[in-house]
Amino acid sequence: MKCSEIARACAGISKGEDVEVTGITTDTRDIHPGDLFIALRGDKFDGHCFIGTALEKGAAAVMCEHDAGIGSAHVIIVGDTRQALLALASHIRRKYEIPLVAVTGSVGKTTTKDMTALVLSAGYKTLKTQGNLNNDIGVPQTLFGLDRSYRAAVVEMGMNHLGEISRLSRCAQPTLGIITNIGVSHIENLGSRENILKAKLELLNGLCEYAPLLLNGDDELLAGAVIEKHPVFYFGIENPKNRVRAEEIEQTDRGLRFTICFGDTRTPVELPCVGRHNIYNALAAFAAGVIFGIAPKDAGRALAGYIPSGMRQRVREMGGVSFIEDCYNANPDSMRAAIDTLCDIKSKRRIAVLGSMLELGRISPKAHHEVGAYTAARGIDILYTYSANGVYAAGAEMIDRGAADNGLTDRRSFDDAAALAGDLCRTLHAGDAVLFKASRGVKMEDALNALYEEWKENE
């Protein structure tokens, strides 16, 4: 696009020669000749300080909030570069009349996004959010990747406060929405699950008129939500209202086997990952694909090719032990789901290595205590609690106390990754299953990687 078009899209003022830009970036480390560099401000950075670097690296133009005195270079001046980023992404989105799925929810957003993109890719070249770049910078970055070769897109949307999903949805203008569930993540900022529901339903603010909405019908808040002007497809396992449902569920050595019922079709699916919660993610992805014209059998076949990303409940077999890597994030809902997954795996003993859950505010002590109680109720054999060098120790302590109060006797607490790894390595035997789970800030992967190193040395 030419700079004059970009300026109009962002209600900005264009100065200098009306050059054409071939890319858009907010990071000088990722700049290419011909790019537009957008100088964003954050709590700990100011992109205006890097305008000179952007030009040195070949930026064709700069978007900023004031005339930075950069001579003859082309400049687009806007009132707020962060708002302009969303406006420009929205302008680009409107150039492409393609199916665009927006995914939000408290748990399972990234997995559902990945599964949905996989299903849609059975019929269309599909753009998707990379990783979990799901905020007011990440969503525009995804939309900037659109070009004429793409026939569909899947965009993940996250939030910490009211109003954020609304802005992202208006930017992306989805033609189908998915809400995975309403949990308690971010309750520190929003105060209640009802406010979290309100925040997630902001997805409707940008959803195209009469576009379908997929909701988890087994979630009591979503099942009771009043939705107007959009056809609603409930998905799930338990609720008789579910139009998309899973039956004949079976845990296998390699994952999950079940049948998806949608309309008059019954589609067998073999999902190569563990955890009953992943069935919900697969149901939403399957329904989105079928609604957009993917044949049910092709949608089912696509799900069979799913590979968990990052450290999201990936199961690794080593020396006869099943290691469940789930170190990406944690909240009370995903903690219970992970413990359920551990219990579903065939094993001689079940061992949980758990750390703190963040951003829970006033409910944090009670939530951690309840997780500990749940490990006891589910019959976990050994509980390890971990807080890296004592950071976020309060949550780990409450998990331990909850387990103790409910009769789990074999409990071990560590604040050093190497010490935990050494003890666990001496404890594990062939036939055991062990879960690693905590919020990302705990860096549980340090303990996991330390264990792997110790394990390899002892093989």
Side-chain angles (χ1 to χ4, degrees):
M1 289 185 292
K2 289 202 168 183
C3 286
S4 55
E5 181 183 351
I6 294 171
R8 287 193 300 272
C10 302
I13 299 171
S14 181
K15 291 187 174 184
E17 182 183 353
D18 191 14
V19 298
E20 187 174 78
V21 301
T22 54
I24 303 166
T25 186
T26 62
D27 190 339
T28 55
R29 294 169 297 183
D30 189 37
I31 207 159
H32 298 91
D35 279 354
L36 167 69
F37 173 68
I38 301 179
L40 299 179
R41 295 183 190 276
D43 294 335
K44 299 180 181 179
F45 67 90
D46 185 352
H48 292 77
C49 298
F50 301 96
I51 288 175
T53 302
L55 293 172
E56 289 173 4
K57 289 188 172 183
V62 170
M63 181 184 289
C64 51
E65 295 175 4
H66 54 77
D67 193 335
I70 53 180
S72 60
H74 191 96
V75 180
I76 300 169
I77 300 175
V78 296
D80 184 324
T81 50
R82 210 157 181 134
Q83 292 298 321
L85 185 73
L86 288 166
L88 180 55
S90 181
H91 176 71
I92 290 173
R93 161 67 179 114
R94 286 193 294 271
K95 293 175 178 283
Y96 302 96
E97 294 185 4
I98 61 173
L100 188 147
V101 179
V103 181
T104 192
S106 295
V107 182
K109 292 186 295 295
T110 300
T111 300
T112 302
K113 174 262 299 181
D114 287 339
M115 288 185 179
T116 303
L118 195 62
V119 171
L120 288 175
S121 294
Y124 312 102
K125 182 181 178 182
T126 302
L127 177 72
K128 70 171 183 175
T129 301
Q130 295 302 305
N132 69 326
L133 297 175
N134 59 20
N135 62 5
D136 62 348
I137 298 175
V139 169
Q141 286 177 334
T142 299
L143 296 176
F144 292 153
L146 284 169
D147 61 40
R148 296 294 174 193
S149 70
Y150 287 108
R151 308 308 304 158
V154 186
V155 179
E156 180 181 336
M157 298 181 181
M159 62 89 200
N160 292 306
H161 298 87
L162 287 168
E164 293 176 352
I165 294 290
S166 179
R167 289 191 291 274
L168 298 180
S169 183
R170 292 178 190 276
C171 172
Q173 304 148 60
T175 60
L176 183 147
I178 297 173
I179 304 180
T180 60
N181 46 54
I182 305 298
V184 295
S185 56
H186 308 305
I187 202 166
E188 181 177 15
N189 298 325
L190 292 165
S192 67
R193 286 186 70 212
E194 287 71 23
N195 276 345
I196 295 171
L197 171 67
K198 181 179 178 181
K200 299 301 184 184
L201 287 176
E202 289 175 359
L203 183 67
L204 297 172
N205 295 345
L207 192 63
C208 293
E209 190 173 18
Y210 303 116
L213 183 65
L214 302 178
L215 301 179
N216 184 338
D218 291 351
D219 183 292
E220 72 274 14
L221 290 182
L222 286 173
V226 177
I227 309 295
E228 298 178 349
K229 298 182 179 179
H230 294 281
V232 176
F233 294 80
Y234 289 106
F235 60 89
I237 301 169
E238 309 294 344
N239 192 333
K241 288 199 308 182
N242 293 328
R243 295 175 65 182
V244 188
R245 64 189 185 279
E247 297 181 352
E248 301 168 346
I249 299 169
E250 179 186 353
Q251 178 82 47
T252 71
D253 292 339
R254 297 187 177 184
L256 293 159
R257 183 182 296 132
F258 53 96
T259 299
I260 297 181
C261 305
F262 186 16
D264 58 357
T265 65
R266 293 177 60 85
T267 306
V269 172
E270 293 200 20
L271 197 64
C273 57
V274 294
R276 185 180 176 92
H277 57 285
N278 278 316
I279 296 175
Y280 290 91
N281 303 331
L283 288 171
F286 180 93
V290 172
I291 288 170
F292 285 132
I294 303 298
K297 64 177 181 179
D298 293 334
R301 190 179 299 122
L303 287 168
Y306 172 71
I307 300 173
S309 62
M311 286 190 164
R312 288 179 174 85
Q313 227 162 67
R314 183 171 56 193
V315 179
R316 180 181 296 190
E317 300 284 342
M318 293 175 62
V321 175
S322 299
F323 296 90
I324 305 172
E325 303 173 352
D326 202 353
C327 307
Y328 186 78
N329 217 335
N331 57 54
D333 302 299
S334 66
M335 275 284 199
R336 285 190 291 272
I339 293 166
D340 289 341
T341 298
L342 174 61
C343 293
D344 287 341
I345 290 180
K346 293 179 181 178
S347 59
K348 294 179 179 178
R349 294 186 303 172
R350 299 175 176 89
I351 300 167
V353 184
L354 307 180
S356 291
M357 304 172 288
L358 308 184
E359 298 183 359
L360 294 179
R362 58 183 172 77
I363 74 165
S364 183
K366 181 174 183 288
H368 283 91
H369 189 277
E370 289 176 348
V371 165
Y374 196 68
T375 62
R378 288 307 316 264
I380 298 302
D381 296 289
I382 306 173
L383 171 65
Y384 285 79
T385 50
Y386 174 68
S387 56
N389 301 315
V391 178
Y392 305 122
E397 290 169 1
M398 288 305 296
I399 292 173
D400 181 80
R401 186 180 304 176
D405 289 347
N406 288 272
L408 202 164
T409 57
D410 196 342
R411 308 180 325 279
R412 312 175 192 188
S413 297
F414 290 88
D415 61 8
D416 179 79
L420 186 153
D423 187 272
L424 187 52
C425 193
R426 291 187 294 272
T427 299
L428 288 172
H429 302 294
D432 289 342
V434 56
L435 163 72
F436 288 78
K437 179 76 173 172
S439 278
R440 188 70 185 86
V442 176
K443 296 184 178 179
M444 181 65 85
E445 67 274 14
D446 291 346
L448 180 61
N449 291 332
L451 173 65
Y452 285 158
E453 289 299 318
E454 183 96 11
W455 191 265
K456 290 175 183 176
E457 290 178 6
N458 292 332
E459 281 186 333

